[in-house]
Amino acid sequence: QKEVEQDPGPLSVPEGAIVSLNCTYSNSAFQYFMWYRQYSRKGPELLMYTYSSGNKEDGRFTAQVDKSSKYISLFIRDSQPSDSATYLCAMSANLPGTASKLTFGTGTRLQVTL
Amino acid sequence: AAGVIQSPRHLIKEKRETATLKCYPIPRHDTVYWYQQGPGQDPQFLISFYEKMQSDKGSIPDRFSAQQFSDYHSELNMSSLELGDSALYFCASSSNWEGSHEQYFGPGTRLTVT
């Protein structure tokens, strides 16, 4: 079983819909949580970074972390066709003296249709 | 804003050849990570460097080696290439001295082994 589980989709929504993307994880050492957007054959683009449990909002994006349930979410409001991409959740532990690697979910492919 | 630079962007090699991938981190970032992403897969951590010292090691084959230089750029050396090494190779950088765990990815190098 992977440390980070993410529904691969594909997820198809109409333009303007609210999108909900989710990941669960099993490693209690994970303390830093990120969401990346990746267009085909491009590098992952950092969308959101959170540390503590709770919500963080940035424009149309809201990241939610529930450490007690080991569950994180990304909400996209007023989705646009340009949001069509693969969304990867990623997380890392805080290991003193090391550069903490990211462990990724498998990514959810999102298609926003006109 | 300056981003992570990777070169070359595309590389075609034959089996048993060697390849060198280069990564230039965001200015003032002291930490570099290398990831490998196969088709339809999430990025897998290979190796990281903090302040020019190897920090963490993932599923990197013994045929691969890497280092970080005094100007913080990094090179990933791959020898005895195999068909299975064909993948996207991403470099990411972060600023550990600022206590930041956010990793910013480059555009990637697409390696094709024939």
Side-chain angles (χ1 to χ4, degrees), chain A residues 31-50:
Chain A
Q31 296 187 36
Y32 303 94
F33 306 92
M34 281 147 271
W35 285 95
Y36 288 87
R37 176 173 64 194
Q38 186 174 28
Y39 294 109
S40 181
R41 300 189 172 201
K42 303 293 186 183
E45 174 192 1
L46 181 62
L47 289 176
M48 299 290 282
Y49 166 75
T50 53

Side-chain angles (χ1 to χ4, degrees), chain B residues 41-94:
Chain B
Q41 298 182 357
D42 55 288
Q44 296 294 312
F45 172 74
L46 293 177
I47 196 167
S48 63
F49 293 87
Y50 169 56
E51 277 294 339
K52 293 155 275 184
M53 299 287 289
Q54 181 180 307
S55 179
D56 197 2
K57 203 169 181 180
S59 50
I60 182 169
D62 292 340
R63 300 176 288 109
F64 294 6
S65 65
Q67 58 182 321
Q68 187 179 29
F69 295 85
S70 58
D71 63 352
Y72 294 98
H73 93 273
S74 178
E75 294 183 5
L76 177 65
N77 298 293
M78 311 160 72
S79 63
S80 303
L81 287 168
E82 301 174 356
L83 295 177
D85 296 328
S86 295
L88 267 170
Y89 290 83
F90 291 109
C91 171
S93 73
S94 68

Side-chain angles (χ1 to χ4, degrees), chain A residues 21 23 25 28-36 45-59 61-67 70-75 88-94 100-103, chain B residues 99-104:
Chain A
L21 304 167
C23 287
Y25 62 96
S28 299
F30 288 143
Q31 296 187 36
Y32 303 94
F33 306 92
M34 281 147 271
W35 285 95
Y36 288 87
E45 174 192 1
L46 181 62
L47 289 176
M48 299 290 282
Y49 166 75
T50 53
Y51 169 62
S52 58
S53 285
N55 292 357
K56 181 178 180 180
E57 190 174 319
D58 184 1
F61 300 95
T62 299
Q64 202 171 72
V65 174
D66 183 348
K67 287 186 176 180
K70 296 189 178 67
Y71 186 89
I72 69 171
S73 300
L74 177 71
F75 298 95
L88 295 150
C89 64
M91 41 200 82
S92 67
N94 182 22
S100 300
K101 66 178 183 181
L102 290 178
T103 300
Chain B
S100 171
H101 291 257
E102 298 162 78
Q103 294 186 26
Y104 295 88

Side-chain angles (χ1 to χ4, degrees), chain B residues 89-114:
Chain B
Y89 290 83
F90 291 109
C91 171
S93 73
S94 68
S95 179
N96 265 16
W97 74 272
E98 292 180 334
S100 171
H101 291 257
E102 298 162 78
Q103 294 186 26
Y104 295 88
F105 282 72
T109 294
R110 178 170 295 280
L111 173 67
T112 303
V113 181
T114 62

